Amino acid sequence: MSEPKILIVDDEVGILDTLRILLKREGFQVETAVGGQAGIDRIADVRPDVVLSDVRMPGKGGLEVLMAAKEMDPALPVILMTAQASLQTAMRAVNEGAYYYIQKPFANDELIAIVRRAAESRQLKKENQALKTEIRRRDRSDTSRPIGRSRSFLDVLKTADTVAPSDSTVLITGESGTGKEVLAKHIHSISQRGDGPFVSINCGALPENLLESELFGHVRGSFTGAVRDKQGMFVAAKGGSFFLDEVGEMSPALQVKLLRALQEREVIPVGATDPVPIDVRIMAATNRDLDEEIRRGGFRSDLFYRLNVITLQLPPLRERPDDIPLLIDYFLNRFTSGRNRPPLRVAPDALASMQTYDWPGNVRELENALERAAVLTGTGDEIAMSTLPPRITQRQAQPLVSATLPPNPTLEIVERAYIHWVLSSEGGNKTRAAEVLGIDPSTLYRKLQRYGMEG
C-alpha cells in the first residue's frame, strides 16, 4: 500500500506547517492549501485520500470544502476541525457527510488516530470497489463478448480486452458491417466506465449543422429552430463512453472542433462562449483509409494522431470462414429466442453456399440474410437453400475479369466487372467506390442490386 495522501486546508500558515510536519512524520504524503477557496481548487489536482480542513476561514469555509470534496468523490473522507464548535455546525457537518468533527485544541495522538482510520477506511472502500468492478467486468465480458474463433479476430479481441480498463482513445477500422460498434460496446462494458452510458452517433448520417448541434449542444436562439438549450452528446455521455461511427465522414470544420474537444477535454455549444468540461472516453470508427484521406486532404493529420492512440483493425468476414458457423448459430438462436418456435438449423447445401460466399457486406449482410431466411422458413426448423438471397446461392462460376470473357462482352458485363474491380481496390468501401466511379452512393447501390452483388 502506498503512503496515504492528505490535503490540509487552513487559513493560518503556522497551523498548516505544524500539521504538515506532524503527519509527514507519521508516513503521510501531505499537501496544503491556504484558505478554503485554495483548498477547493486543489482537491481535483491532488486527488487526496483524506481531507483535513478548518471550519472557520474567510470566504469559503470548511463546510464548502466538504461539499466540494463530496461532489468530486462521495467516498472521500473529510475531517473538520474547529476552535469554536457549535451543535448546529456539527450537525450540518455530519449531515453533509463529514467523516469526523474534531475540536481544537486536540492531542496529536488523537488527530493521528482519526486520520489513520479515515485513510484505512478510504483504502478499504477502494479495494471493495475494485473487486466489485472486476466481478462486473468478468460478468459483462461473458455476455457481451463478440462472436468468433479465427486467429485474426481473436488477436483483435485480445488487444481490446487489454486496453478496455484504460481511458485511452480507441480507433476501430474495418470494412462496413464487420462489427465495429459491437466491439466498441464490448470495450465499454468491461471498462471502468461500464456503469456509465454508451452513447453513439453516425457522423455520416447527419448534415454538418445538425451533427455539430448533436455533438456539442447549442444554446437557445443560436439558430432558427433553437427554441431551448440542448445538451450535446459529449456532455450526455458523462462518466461513460462516446462512440463516433464513420468519423472519416466528418467535415473539416467539425474535425477542428473535435480535435479541440479531445485536446482540452471541453466543448463549446453552438452559440455559446463558455466551454463545458467533458468526462468521457472517446472511441471512433471508420471504413475509410485515413492515411490515404490525409494525403488527399480530406482528413486532418493532427486529429488522426489524437484518435489513433489504440488502433483495432477488424478483419472482413471473408477472412474468417471458421467464424461463419458460430455466427449462424448465434443469430438463429437470437431470432427464435422467446418466439415460441423450434430451434433453426441450416441445411448442408445452404451452409456450404454460405461458407463459400465472400460476404461483401460482412457480418451485417450475414445477419440480414439469416433473418430473411428465418422468416421465409415459416414454422419449419431448417433453413433451405431456396430461402437464401440469390446472390449467395447463384453466383457466377467464372471470375468477373478473365481471359475467358467473350470477345465482344456486353456493356453490362463490362460495367459489372469494373464495379467489382473498383470495390475490391477500395477495400469494399462503397462511398469511396462511388467517388472513384463518379456516381452517387445511391446509384451504386441500385447497380449492385441489379447485378446481384449486394442485398
Side-chain angles (χ1 to χ4, degrees), residues 119-303:
E120 290 171 352
S121 172
R122 171 69 165 175
Q123 182 63 25
L124 183 61
K125 288 180 180 179
K126 279 186 175 181
E127 291 173 354
N128 287 341
Q129 183 59 43
L131 181 60
K132 290 178 181 178
T133 300
E134 180 61 23
I135 292 172
R136 285 198 301 269
R137 183 173 182 266
R138 291 180 181 178
D139 290 342
R140 292 190 189 115
S141 180
D142 291 340
T143 57
S144 69
R145 194 171 182 81
I147 306 297
R149 65 185 175 196
S150 63
R151 172 55 56 189
S152 59
F153 183 75
L154 290 178
D155 287 344
V156 173
L157 203 54
K158 181 179 179 181
T159 304
D161 290 342
T162 301
V163 304
S166 73
D167 250 2
S168 297
T169 303
V170 176
L171 178 64
I172 306 174
T173 62
E175 296 177 10
S176 293
T178 49
K180 296 186 286 293
E181 184 166 358
V182 171
L183 184 62
K185 287 180 178 178
H186 171 68
I187 293 172
H188 167 74
S189 70
I190 63 174
S191 72
Q192 304 290 339
R193 295 175 174 268
D195 289 331
F198 178 86
V199 177
S200 66
I201 190 171
N202 188 318
C203 300
L206 298 173
E208 180 179 350
N209 58 343
L210 183 55
L211 179 59
E212 181 180 14
S213 173
E214 290 295 317
L215 291 174
F216 308 111
H218 64 250
V219 297
R220 182 168 63 90
S222 56
F223 55 84
T224 303
V227 296
R228 64 177 65 87
D229 290 353
K230 176 182 173 60
Q231 185 183 65
M233 287 185 170
F234 273 103
V235 177
K238 180 180 179 181
S241 303
F242 189 19
F243 178 62
L244 297 161
D245 197 8
E246 301 304 344
V247 70
E249 309 291 333
M250 190 175 282
S251 70
L254 286 185
Q255 289 179 33
V256 174
K257 291 198 170 188
L258 176 58
L259 175 63
R260 184 184 186 282
L262 292 170
Q263 289 177 332
E264 306 298 331
R265 308 303 296 179
E266 62 183 24
V267 297
I268 300 178
V270 178
T273 56
D274 296 327
V276 179
I278 58 174
D279 172 23
V280 64
R281 186 201 195 145
I282 304 296
M283 289 185 277
T286 182
N287 60 13
R288 293 195 177 199
D289 182 345
L290 292 186
D291 285 320
E292 180 62 26
E293 291 300 319
I294 291 171
R295 285 192 288 272
R296 293 174 176 172
F299 201 81
R300 296 180 60 95
S301 59
D302 47 5
L303 175 57

Side-chain angles (χ1 to χ4, degrees), residues 298-319:
F299 201 81
R300 296 180 60 95
S301 59
D302 47 5
L303 175 57
F304 172 71
Y305 296 128
R306 278 285 176 180
L307 292 172
N308 195 34
V309 178
I310 305 292
T311 302
L312 301 174
Q313 172 77 41
L314 275 172
L317 188 56
R318 62 182 172 274
E319 296 177 8

Side-chain angles (χ1 to χ4, degrees), residues 4-118:
K5 186 183 296 183
I6 183 169
L7 174 64
I8 308 172
V9 185
D10 203 304
D11 61 318
E12 296 186 32
V13 177
I15 293 178
L16 286 176
D17 289 339
T18 300
L19 292 175
R20 177 176 54 79
I21 294 170
L22 172 66
L23 292 170
K24 191 171 184 180
R25 188 185 302 142
E26 293 297 322
F28 291 92
Q29 298 181 59
V30 181
E31 301 285 343
T32 60
V34 181
Q37 186 59 58
I40 292 171
D41 294 339
R42 294 213 64 195
I43 290 173
D45 295 332
V46 173
R47 295 197 172 275
D49 297 302
V50 180
V51 174
L52 175 63
S53 175
D54 191 21
V55 172
R56 292 184 177 273
M57 293 179 287
K60 302 288 186 180
L63 291 175
E64 285 80 7
V65 173
L66 168 63
M67 287 186 285
K70 291 297 180 181
E71 182 177 351
M72 187 198 78
D73 183 355
L76 178 59
V78 179
I79 301 168
L80 296 178
M81 51 187 180
T82 182
Q84 301 174 356
S86 69
L87 179 60
Q88 183 179 5
T89 304
M91 288 179 62
R92 185 180 173 192
V94 171
N95 289 335
E96 294 290 348
Y99 178 82
Y100 205 91
Y101 190 84
I102 185 172
Q103 186 172 357
K104 298 177 182 178
F106 42 75
N108 288 348
D109 291 345
E110 180 186 9
L111 177 64
I112 291 169
I114 293 169
V115 173
R116 198 173 298 285
R117 286 201 304 271

